[in-house]
Amino acid sequence: MTDITVNPDIIPEELVDTIHPDAKWYVVHTYSGYENKVKANIEKIIDTRGMHDVIIQVVVPVQDTIEIKNGVKKAVQRKIYPGYVLLKMVMNEETWYVIRNTRGVTSFVGPASKPVPLTDEEIIAMGVEVPDFELDLNVDEIVRIIAGPFEGSIGNVREVNHQKKTVTIALSVFGRETQVELDYHVLQRM
C-alpha cells in the first residue's frame, strides 16, 4: 500500500497523467527517519510556489504490518524504502533546484546526482502505480508469477477476488502446497 498525495482541489486524480504526460517518477535520498518530514517540506514548497502542475505527487511508500511487543499485537505502518521519497514530476532546472535544496534531501538517485527516472517496470514492481485492468481468470487455471518474491513460479488459481483485484494461487513451496494472495498485475496467463 502506498501513501499517495494528490490535491484533488487543484488536480483531480483521474487527470494526473493528462496534465503533464512527460512527468516521470524520480527517487530522492533523504536522511534516515526524515522521509515524512521531507514529504511535508516538498508539499509546502509546492503550495507556496504554485508548482502543482510540475510536481504532481509525493510518495513515501509504506506497508501495513502486525508487530508483536510484550505479547500484544499492534498494527503499524513500516516504510518500504527507508531513506527514500518518490516524486512524480516534470524534470527541469527549476524543479531540480527546488527539490535538491529542500531541507532533508541529500540527493537524487542517479549517477553523480543526475536524476534518472524510474522505468514502468520498476514503478509497478514497487507498487507505486498499479495499472488499472481486469484479469479474466478462472479457478483451476494455470498462471505464471512475473514479479515479486515468487517471480517465475507457476501456480494454480484457487480464488479470484475482483473487488480487491487479487488472486489466490496454490504454489508448490518446498514440496508442500502453499496458497498465496497476489495482485492481478504480477500474474500472466499460461
Side-chain angles (χ1 to χ4, degrees):
M1 168 161 239
T2 59
D3 177 20
I4 298 178
T5 301
V6 175
N7 188 337
D9 299 330
I10 297 169
I11 304 171
E13 196 163 345
E14 61 273 6
L15 297 178
V16 166
D17 289 328
T18 62
I19 291 169
H20 258 299
D22 50 340
K24 298 190 182 324
W25 283 100
Y26 294 90
V27 180
V28 293
H29 190 263
T30 68
Y31 295 116
S32 185
Y34 282 80
E35 301 87 356
N36 291 331
K37 184 77 170 159
V38 166
K39 179 179 187 263
N41 288 343
I42 292 171
E43 288 171 342
K44 188 182 237 182
I45 290 168
I46 292 169
D47 285 338
T48 58
R49 292 188 178 211
M51 300 180 82
H52 298 280
D53 59 333
V54 288
I55 303 175
I56 315 296
Q57 293 177 331
V58 183
V59 178
V60 177
V62 293
Q63 180 177 29
D64 293 325
T65 60
I66 302 294
E67 190 176 88
I68 301 174
K69 250 189 184 171
N70 300 328
V72 178
K73 289 184 182 181
K74 183 180 178 184
V76 294
Q77 285 193 330
R78 294 228 182 266
K79 292 176 183 73
I80 299 173
Y81 306 107
Y84 296 95
V85 174
L86 284 72
L87 300 162
K88 185 167 189 172
M89 60 186 271
V90 176
M91 183 59 67
N92 59 35
E93 286 183 32
E94 181 185 18
T95 57
W96 180 88
Y97 181 83
V98 166
I99 299 300
R100 181 66 184 89
N101 290 295
T102 299
R103 177 182 225 129
V105 172
T106 58
S107 64
F108 275 95
V109 172
S113 289
K114 183 181 184 294
V116 176
L118 295 172
T119 64
D120 292 340
E121 293 80 20
E122 290 170 327
I123 294 165
I124 292 169
M126 293 172 81
V128 177
E129 281 185 356
V130 178
D132 192 25
F133 63 90
E134 288 293 320
L135 189 62
D136 185 29
L137 287 176
N138 299 311
V139 173
D140 290 329
E141 201 165 341
I142 306 295
V143 293
R144 177 185 307 275
I145 302 170
I146 57 172
F150 297 105
E151 182 176 355
S153 298
I154 295 174
N156 195 342
V157 175
R158 293 290 186 226
E159 181 183 338
V160 179
N161 186 330
H162 294 291
Q163 285 183 323
K164 288 174 51 181
K165 298 193 183 223
T166 60
V167 178
T168 302
I169 309 287
L171 297 174
S172 176
V173 179
F174 301 119
R176 296 179 66 180
E177 184 178 290
T178 304
Q179 292 194 8
V180 294
E181 185 178 60
L182 301 167
D183 293 328
Y184 281 0
H185 71 276
V186 301
L187 300 174
Q188 181 179 57
R189 177 181 270 126
M190 294 288 295

